[in-house]
Amino acid sequence: MSTEERTTAPARSARRALVGRLSWGLADQAASSVSNFAVGIYVARSLGVTAFGVFSLAWVTYGVVLNVSRGLATDPLVVRFSGVSDASWRGAVARSTGTALGVGTVIGAVCLVAALGLGGSLGSAFVALAVMMPGLLLQDAWRFAFFAAGAGRKAFVNDVVWGAALVPAMVVAARVGSVAAFVLAWGASATVAAGYGCLQSGIRPRTAQARGWLREQRDLGYRYLVENVSLSGASQLRAYGLGAIVGVGAVGAVRGAELLLGPFLAVLMGLSLVTVPEAARVLRQAPHRLGTFCLLLGGGQAAGALLWGGALLLVPDRLGELALGGVWHSSSQLIVQITLGVAGAGLGTGAAAGLRALGAARRSLRCQLFASACYVGGGLGGAAAGGTAGSAWGAAAATVTASAVWWLHLRSALRERHRDPIPEVRTS
């Protein structure tokens, strides 16, 4: 073998490994997207626009709690324990998943108390969400853990198990016909997958070690907590504000339009499952390629969202009504705005992955706080000025603006790293 062949062989092997990990990431996100899309469509058709708005409020609230768990438990895990030794990974995963389970238990109890004061179908939905919260968060934590280890196949199988369990659960919920029944079905099937994750990994979550994990990761965890909560909290504030300004039906219309972009939104929500570990590997192995990696990642997502949105504009009303039922008419008016917003968010997440890999928590926190403030201001200001459509335009403009800010900060962070290399990544 020549010298050139000996040099290029490891490079080809590394590329194949990267493609393999990304392929499992895409497969996992596809499974997650299909499940989320199917749940949304099924619930929308079964409940109608107003009740679907109630379900959407529970879904958005879960998104806030999910991001609390990710910020404290699993974001530090993927930044600091991707590609480390098995012993280091197992110890970190036991503490990280224990933290996620603890977060679900504590916040579930808070949701239960709040639900008792709400009453009606909304209160019942939040009681169901409170009960299911620990299982939902633990299932998500296993996905992060498997991708940190480069075992994306296990994350994919876990999501397939959740999807399989969803089928009979949703059939039962449809017979009951209430929002709470659908929330219970969704959460119970996630709990089944969470239990299977314990079998897959052979690791038992250590809730007693959650305090130690929070203390060890406080330099990243609390910044990521604020960053993540500002992201999901902005969505929740916009949803509640839109419901107050325009009506609960407007929340259902926006959620229905988001469902039509479901494959890309699901990828964005779970982006760090694949991209942050891979960006961290790129940083260790070829730091000069990190910017290009992030640009390809963000640009690819933005282009995909635009293509998908363009295709949705060609969908005939008859087919749209078959998918969303009565929700289609109001949701179809928002496709252009939601598509532009998702494309802007996709472009920005490429830069966000780079900042996470660099451990630039202060910069990413500033970017996310700015993006969240713009999103709430644009969404609610647009709602006050132009109703549901105005809210969608305002949110889209805010997302595109925030994407530019993310990229400006990544460029500055890369320049700083060239001058002052980051400290060694912790692996124990």
Side-chain angles (χ1 to χ4, degrees), residues 377-401:
L380 297 186
T388 307
S391 178
W393 279 117
T399 304
V400 173
T401 302

Side-chain angles (χ1 to χ4, degrees), residues 41 44-50 52 249 252-253 256 317 320-332:
I41 293 295
R45 287 182 56 82
S46 300
L47 296 179
V49 67
T50 301
F52 184 59
D317 288 339
E321 291 171 358
L322 181 64
L324 288 179
V327 179
W328 165 257
H329 178 71
S330 53
S331 295
S332 62

Side-chain angles (χ1 to χ4, degrees), residues 2 29 37 95 97 121 133 143 199 201 227 230 296 302 331 338 357 380:
S2 67
Q29 291 303 328
F37 184 74
R95 301 194 300 278
T97 54
S121 61
M133 194 68 76
R143 299 170 70 212
L199 297 177
S201 63
E227 181 180 330
S230 70
L296 291 173
S331 295
I338 299 296
L380 297 186

Side-chain angles (χ1 to χ4, degrees), residues 56-211:
S56 299
L57 291 176
W59 185 291
V60 169
T61 302
Y62 157 72
V64 176
V65 181
L66 179 64
N67 280 293
V68 171
S69 176
R70 287 180 176 180
L72 293 176
T74 51
D75 283 346
L77 177 74
V78 298
V79 170
R80 287 182 164 153
F81 295 90
S82 293
V84 301
S85 68
D86 184 66
S88 294
W89 176 80
R90 293 181 70 84
V93 168
R95 301 194 300 278
S96 175
T97 54
T99 301
L101 194 57
V103 169
T105 302
V106 171
I107 300 186
V110 174
C111 286
L112 182 60
V113 173
L116 296 178
L118 292 173
S121 61
L122 183 60
S124 300
F126 273 74
V127 169
L129 180 65
V131 173
M132 294 292 104
M133 194 68 76
L136 284 162
L137 298 189
L138 182 58
Q139 192 276 337
D140 185 74
W142 286 126
R143 299 170 70 212
F144 274 81
F146 292 140
F147 276 106
R153 179 181 61 84
K154 291 185 177 181
F156 169 75
V157 171
N158 194 274
D159 267 328
V160 169
V161 168
W162 185 3
L166 265 172
V167 175
M170 284 290 160
V171 171
V172 173
R175 292 181 178 178
V176 177
S178 68
V179 178
F182 281 104
V183 175
L184 285 172
W186 169 53
S189 54
T191 302
V192 171
Y196 182 64
C198 297
L199 297 177
Q200 286 178 290
S201 63
I203 299 172
R204 183 164 62 89
R206 304 284 183 177
T207 54
Q209 297 181 15
R211 182 175 298 179

